[in-house]
Amino acid sequence: MSSLRQDSLTGRWVIIAAQRQGRPNEFRDRLQQMPEQPTTSDQCPFCPGREDQTPAEVMASGRASEMPANGPGWRVRVVPNKYPAVQSDTKTTEILPSTLMRTQGAAQGGHEVVICCPRHQDSLGTLPADHLTEILSTVRQRMVALAQQQSSARYVLAFGNQGPEAGATLAHAHLQIITTPVVPAVVVDKIENFIRHKKSTGRCLLCDSLADEEADGARLIASNNTWAALAPWASRFPCEMRLIPRRHCPTMLDISPEEVADLAALMSLCLKGLNNHAPGAGYNVVIHNTPLAAEGRQGYGNERFDGLIDNAPDIFHWHVEILPRLTRQAGFEAGTGFAINSLPPEEAAVILRPERR
Ligand SMILES: [Zn+2]
Ligand SMILES: [Zn+2]
């Protein structure tokens, strides 16, 4: 039987409909044929030796000290996005006027690309955990730096698109960091749910959710000293994964090296599980943090958020999502905002667990 489940964190409803797995699909072959990932590329701007095809790097790790910047020898390299979605505060001084019916503002912020590895054919799922640790440490450092540099920033998001079905336009593994002046509505929704749960129980929503899932066990995928990964109760996507730090902390900006290394180890297990189940599958990785404090910042469009957590700046519990793109969303999702998922998370957790491999 189908069930309609609600995600306690986002408030989103999802139809879990296992019986839809058997429905006829004339396009199934096309969906299951994962596009071949190019193993080499003559034109890839992220490959070593073509550093001059990106904007000058803002950071690189792994290169010997005698090697020049913007040349080969790096393990992780960060550059400004050549085609940014937002423009740095220092470059945008124009005021865009709003009317009652047409609200707007300058798309201010930072937009950087973290090139994850020198080898074109590697991905987050194939790299060793210590390399993932280096990538995540780099992401953390650049999030801190962008939040400081961009006075417009009210939110800083790090995410990755792997594969064209997840929105990637370049095959070479990379993550992106964007700051926005507007706190995204999905974050405000979560904060309202954190506040509601705190008022009714006195506790953190995600701390409680993690304790509940560990006691139940049906949706747990893997865990270590400081992290746990689970298939969310109301998963929107088949094989969706939520990675939750055990320590209550609002943002990745404030975590310890041990927590970074443990996240890398767990993320590596999760992505290997996905790749075993669906080799070459596309996915998004999203790192969710609390918004930046308002003091001295010039964001706009935050009427719903401003004041919400003034008395509870630590209410948010940061987390990471892995959203595989094994199926496409259709008209029902577009019309309602809630998904139909034909793979129950209890089955997904069994598929993804490392002991199966
Ligand atoms: Zn490349
Ligand atoms: Zn918590």
Side-chain angles (χ1 to χ4, degrees):
M1 194 185 84
S2 296
S3 65
L4 193 53
R5 296 184 178 182
Q6 187 177 30
D7 188 304
S8 60
L9 183 60
T10 61
R12 286 192 200 105
W13 289 90
V14 173
I15 298 178
I16 304 289
Q19 74 281 7
R20 284 171 64 81
Q21 282 175 25
R23 72 192 193 278
N25 183 349
E26 293 186 322
F27 303 109
R28 189 181 301 279
D29 288 347
R30 204 192 294 173
L31 259 177
Q32 285 181 344
Q33 267 171 13
M34 296 303 171
E36 288 276 308
Q37 296 285 329
T39 50
T40 57
S41 171
D42 296 337
Q43 282 133 26
C44 174
F46 294 168
C47 275
R50 292 198 200 93
E51 287 80 2
D52 60 344
Q53 293 185 19
T54 65
E57 68 197 30
V58 290
M59 184 179 165
S61 63
R63 200 188 274 125
S65 55
E66 67 274 15
M67 306 268 287
N70 297 301
W74 48 271
R75 278 194 303 270
V76 181
R77 182 168 185 255
V78 185
V79 297
N81 194 308
K82 198 170 178 179
Y83 306 99
V86 289
Q87 294 281 342
S88 178
D89 289 354
T90 52
K91 295 182 185 155
T92 39
T93 49
E94 195 184 355
I95 304 285
L96 300 177
S98 291
T99 68
L100 182 62
M101 300 310 297
R102 283 180 268 136
T103 305
Q104 64 176 347
Q108 293 171 304
H111 190 172
E112 293 186 349
V113 176
V114 179
I115 306 168
C116 295
C117 49
R119 269 167 41 107
H120 187 79
Q121 58 268 46
D122 279 334
S123 71
L124 294 179
T126 62
L127 289 166
D130 60 345
H131 194 116
L132 267 183
T133 303
E134 196 167 332
I135 294 166
L136 292 168
S137 303
T138 305
V139 166
R140 201 194 69 80
Q141 282 184 61
R142 291 312 305 162
M143 287 172 101
V144 171
L146 282 174
Q148 282 170 355
Q149 285 166 14
Q150 302 295 322
S151 64
S152 67
R154 294 301 308 279
Y155 200 69
V156 52
L157 184 77
F159 64 96
N161 308 327
Q162 177 72 39
E165 60 278 25
T169 52
L170 289 172
H172 198 125
H174 62 285
L175 298 173
Q176 300 182 60
I177 307 171
I178 298 187
T179 76
T180 58
V182 180
V183 178
V186 64
V187 179
V188 182
D189 287 346
K190 285 182 185 177
I191 288 172
E192 287 178 345
N193 288 325
F194 275 110
I195 291 171
R196 198 171 297 123
H197 188 81
K198 186 93 176 185
K199 272 188 186 151
S200 64
T201 66
R203 297 186 302 270
C204 163
L205 173 60
L206 211 47
C207 287
D208 267 10
S209 168
L210 180 56
D212 178 58
E213 289 293 348
E214 291 207 291
D216 183 281
R219 286 161 298 280
L220 272 185
I221 298 166
S223 63
N224 56 34
N225 273 350
T226 58
W227 283 83
L230 50 93
W233 164 252
S235 292
R236 286 175 294 159
F237 303 96
C239 294
E240 178 174 337
M241 293 173 255
R242 184 174 286 164
L243 283 60
I244 306 172
R246 294 186 187 284
R247 180 172 71 89
H248 180 90
C249 180
T251 168
M252 186 190 193
L253 277 55
D254 295 333
I255 63 167
S256 71
E258 186 202 0
E259 286 169 310
V260 177
D262 282 353
L263 169 59
L266 193 66
M267 193 184 277
S268 179
L269 278 181
C270 288
L271 291 173
K272 284 185 170 70
L274 176 63
N275 202 50
N276 272 1
H277 171 61
Y283 55 85
N284 299 108
V285 174
V286 189
I287 297 175
H288 294 275
N289 291 304
T290 198
L292 299 166
E295 300 105 34
R297 297 187 174 274
Q298 299 146 16
Y300 52 81
N302 293 313
E303 292 75 13
R304 198 177 141 215
F305 170 70
D306 281 336
L308 205 55
I309 61 170
D310 284 356
N311 299 319
D314 296 336
I315 194 122
F316 199 84
H317 186 140
W318 82 287
H319 53 282
V320 177
E321 283 183 313
I322 299 173
L323 308 171
R325 301 291 174 157
L326 302 170
T327 54
R328 303 228 166 94
Q329 300 207 322
F332 182 79
E333 286 87 348
T336 60
F338 56 88
I340 303 173
N341 178 2
S342 60
L343 184 68
E346 295 75 16
E347 288 179 33
V350 171
I351 288 169
L352 295 165
R353 276 177 196 144
E355 53 265 34
R356 260 174 68 98
R357 306 201 282 275

